[in-house]
Amino acid sequence: GAVVSQHPSRVICKSGTSVKIECRSLDFQATTMFWYRQFPKKSLMLMATSNEGSKATYEQGVEKDKFLINHASLTLSTLTVTSAHPEDSSFYICSAPPGQGKDEQYFGPGTRLTVT
Amino acid sequence: QKEVEQDPGPLSVPEGAIVSLNCTYSNSAFQYFMWYRQYSRKGPELLMYTYSSGNKEDGRFTAQVDKSSKYISLFIRDSQPSDSATYRCAMTTDSWGKFQFGAGTQVVVTP
């Protein structure tokens, strides 16, 4: 089946620094990718929709200047958490539909961000 | 009211028992329904996918969708300790759209 990877799997950064998380579709092209944030014992929260070649669409309440999304190619979307704070510590997951005519959505393994 | 409601559990069952999970939803426009399994510190893994109402079976897993009642279920037969995970329902109005997730139910299968 379709595979989505994320890198890094976990990262620890200091408060005030920025960190970039990559999401790649390994065996298919994804014009759209989704970024989620997961809080402990909570559901996944959709943060934004990443569109190849255009600006991302952010959900209400998500700071687009803080969570920068770049979908530079059909297989890569990046999420950059800028000026990270401890409250940004979370599990970030991306997903992508594998292609036209296929309705499933495949998730990356997630990236655990810890801001100290 | 949340669009998707799911009991967070935990749900503890003995090995070999049937695990019964369900979600209710309020948006009648949902057409695509999925169940994901998520192990601790891992991303969600797609288990079952159904379109509109009906049943779907895959091995030990059976998914049911009742759109008239806005209710979906997942059954796991002959449960194994390796089935211990968080199971999360998800649904969307169209196949390319945003997903709405349930809170996830933690399942513990005891040997």
Side-chain angles (χ1 to χ4, degrees):
Chain A
V3 178
V4 175
S5 71
Q6 280 184 242
H7 177 79
S9 58
R10 63 175 60 192
V11 57
I12 301 173
C13 70
K14 291 188 177 181
S15 189
T17 62
S18 296
V19 61
K20 180 186 286 187
I21 302 170
E22 295 184 347
C23 177
R24 292 182 185 273
S25 55
L26 297 185
D27 51 1
F28 65 97
Q29 294 182 332
T31 56
T32 301
M33 290 184 174
F34 300 93
W35 285 96
Y36 295 85
R37 182 174 177 178
Q38 186 172 19
F39 296 93
K41 298 185 179 181
K42 298 286 186 183
S43 184
L44 283 78
M45 180 191 79
L46 179 65
M47 298 174 66
T49 302
S50 174
N51 303 298
E52 190 270 335
S54 65
K55 291 183 179 181
T57 305
Y58 290 83
E59 295 301 298
Q60 190 174 5
V62 177
E63 299 175 64
K64 61 181 180 181
D65 294 330
K66 180 168 187 59
F67 298 99
L68 301 179
I69 291 173
N70 183 23
H71 197 147
S73 76
L74 288 172
T75 59
L76 174 64
S77 175
T78 60
L79 168 68
T80 301
V81 182
T82 63
S83 187
H85 289 279
E87 56 264 31
D88 298 325
S89 298
S90 193
F91 195 53
Y92 293 88
I93 303 173
C94 69
S95 72
Q100 189 173 7
K102 293 185 181 292
D103 302 312
E104 299 95 329
Q105 182 122 190
Y106 290 91
F107 286 82
T111 296
R112 182 164 297 283
L113 170 64
T114 302
V115 184
T116 60
Chain B
Q1 182 190 6
K2 294 180 183 177
E3 278 201 286
V4 180
E5 298 278 359
Q6 183 178 5
D7 187 333
L11 176 63
S12 182
V13 299
E15 183 175 359
I18 295 176
V19 176
S20 175
L21 303 164
N22 59 76
C23 291
T24 58
Y25 61 95
S26 57
N27 187 349
S28 58
F30 286 139
Q31 296 188 75
Y32 298 85
F33 304 90
M34 282 128 295
W35 283 96
Y36 288 90
R37 177 175 63 194
Q38 186 172 12
Y39 293 108
S40 180
R41 300 186 180 184
K42 300 288 185 181
E45 170 194 9
L46 179 65
L47 279 178
M48 298 287 285
Y49 165 84
T50 52
Y51 170 69
S52 195
S53 286
N55 296 354
K56 187 173 185 178
E57 188 173 319
D58 184 2
R60 297 186 296 114
F61 299 93
T62 300
Q64 293 181 349
V65 175
D66 183 348
K67 290 190 71 179
S68 62
S69 301
K70 299 191 182 68
Y71 185 90
I72 69 171
S73 302
L74 176 71
F75 299 96
I76 308 174
R77 293 184 300 279
D78 189 24
S79 58
Q80 306 294 315
S82 59
D83 294 326
S84 298
T86 295
Y87 292 81
R88 201 180 305 277
C89 63
M91 48 199 78
T92 184
T93 56
D94 61 72
S95 59
W96 295 87
K98 307 167 196 174
F99 283 65
Q100 296 295 330
F101 285 88
T105 300
Q106 183 184 0
V107 172
V108 178
V109 180
T110 55

